[in-house]
Amino acid sequence: MDDPDELAPAVRSILSAARERANEGARGTVSASPRDLAAAFERAEADGRVPLIAEVKPTSPTTDGTHEEDPVALAEGMVAGGAAALSVLTEPEHFGGSVDTLERVRDAVDVPVLRKDFVVDEAQLDAVESDVVLLIARFVGEDLPDLLAAARDRGFQVLVEVHDREELERALDAGATTVGVNNRDLAELVVDLGTFESVAPHVPDDVSLIAESGIGSPADVRRMRAAGADALLVGSAIMDGDVEANTRSMTRAEADEDADADPTLDDTTDTTETPT
């Protein structure tokens, strides 16, 4: 793990809380029966949608306020808007998440659900069943190969998050097959979409590549896709307002641009597709 002094204070606090939760007591080992994330992305592509992981995000240290809406209703709206998968926060102290929320959401939808948390110890993997778990390369350091193997032993699919080329190499060396590039620098909490653009060319073609953070508009979606994103993870931009409409604007970003550019389509042409 990187020197904690190099991380933003909010991130240091999150990690400290994660370590405390890891020591709360032993649980039984989870055995996951995951819904296939890659297949969900493929279905979205076949349907003309941008593969999107929409995030149920009650709050965060980088946003103002909290969302009091029923997370299940939010999740259902995201799926109705075309999300290929969902991300659910289970970190309680800084993001208002819970394992109960994840269980409720997963029971209510038929798409893969990513558990978004800050796993730093194997015991945390057994907190709840999900389809995908997140491992952040910067936080787990040399433990990444062991944690990746432990997650797979339980049946989880694993999203390994990186921020730069050095972390990418460590993720690939550990055997990661799904990699997310976080545009947010965890040292300064500054977002730069150029981060993904600089890392993406070095990701092998057989690795699923997800762009994370800072994606706030359909134009951003198209920018990340042009840079090589197989899928995108979007939270705040979807949670701010009508989640179904916001999700649809993201998943339809490429199709709507094509329609606008095609002079054979007029205003009466219905280009709406029914999400699956």
Side-chain angles (χ1 to χ4, degrees):
M1 185 183 302
D2 283 7
D3 183 348
D5 291 337
E6 295 180 359
L7 302 173
V11 178
R12 293 201 301 271
S13 177
I14 290 167
L15 283 176
S16 176
R19 295 189 193 98
E20 290 179 6
R21 284 185 289 126
N23 295 322
E24 285 176 353
R27 303 175 178 86
T29 302
V30 165
S31 178
S33 300
R35 302 161 185 167
D36 192 324
L37 183 64
F41 291 165
E42 291 172 1
R43 287 193 296 272
E45 292 274 14
D47 193 36
R49 290 176 283 130
V50 173
L52 181 76
I53 304 174
E55 188 159 86
V56 180
K57 188 176 186 179
T59 188
S60 87
T62 59
T63 59
D64 294 327
T66 60
H67 295 272
E68 303 296 340
E69 300 93 334
D70 178 12
V72 171
L74 293 171
E76 291 173 336
M78 293 170 182
V79 173
L86 299 176
S87 170
V88 177
L89 268 298
T90 59
E91 199 283 339
E93 295 184 30
H94 302 81
F95 291 86
S98 72
V99 295
D100 176 68
T101 295
L102 186 147
E103 289 175 329
R104 291 178 56 220
V105 167
R106 191 164 181 257
D107 286 345
V109 301
D110 60 0
V111 301
V113 176
L114 163 71
R115 178 188 171 201
K116 183 76 171 291
D117 208 325
F118 301 83
V119 174
V120 294
D121 186 275
E122 182 176 343
Q124 290 176 271
L125 295 171
D126 296 318
V128 65
E129 182 180 358
S130 62
D131 302 293
V132 191
V133 294
L134 174 70
L135 296 177
I136 301 175
R138 184 165 193 172
F139 292 170
V140 301
E142 295 179 357
D143 293 331
L144 178 58
D146 290 341
L147 285 172
L148 183 59
R152 287 174 173 166
D153 285 345
R154 289 161 169 77
F156 292 117
Q157 300 162 100
V158 183
L159 168 60
V160 179
E161 179 180 295
V162 306
H163 180 68
D164 56 31
R165 286 187 60 185
E166 188 273 331
E167 292 177 3
L168 172 64
E169 289 304 316
R170 288 200 284 116
L172 297 176
D173 288 344
T177 57
T178 304
V179 169
V181 178
N182 192 343
N183 289 308
R184 188 184 306 279
D185 179 355
L186 296 175
E188 302 292 339
L189 296 182
V190 174
V191 175
D192 179 4
L193 295 184
T195 300
F196 181 87
E197 292 167 326
S198 68
V199 175
H202 306 284
V203 178
D205 291 340
D206 60 351
V207 171
S208 294
L209 180 58
I210 300 172
E212 305 174 12
S213 296
I215 301 160
S217 68
D220 291 340
V221 171
R222 292 189 289 269
R223 177 177 170 181
M224 294 293 92
R225 290 280 279 174
D230 297 308
L232 303 97
L233 192 156
V234 182
S236 298
I238 287 176
M239 291 290 294
D240 186 14
D242 184 328
V243 297
E244 181 175 346
N246 290 342
T247 303
R248 184 171 289 110
S249 74
M250 299 288 185
T251 60
R252 296 286 303 170
E254 292 176 328
D256 288 348
E257 183 186 43
D258 291 343
D260 290 343
D262 188 343
T264 66
L265 295 176
D266 60 31
D267 291 340
T268 64
T269 303
D270 183 4
T271 61
T272 303
E273 297 176 5
T274 301
T276 58

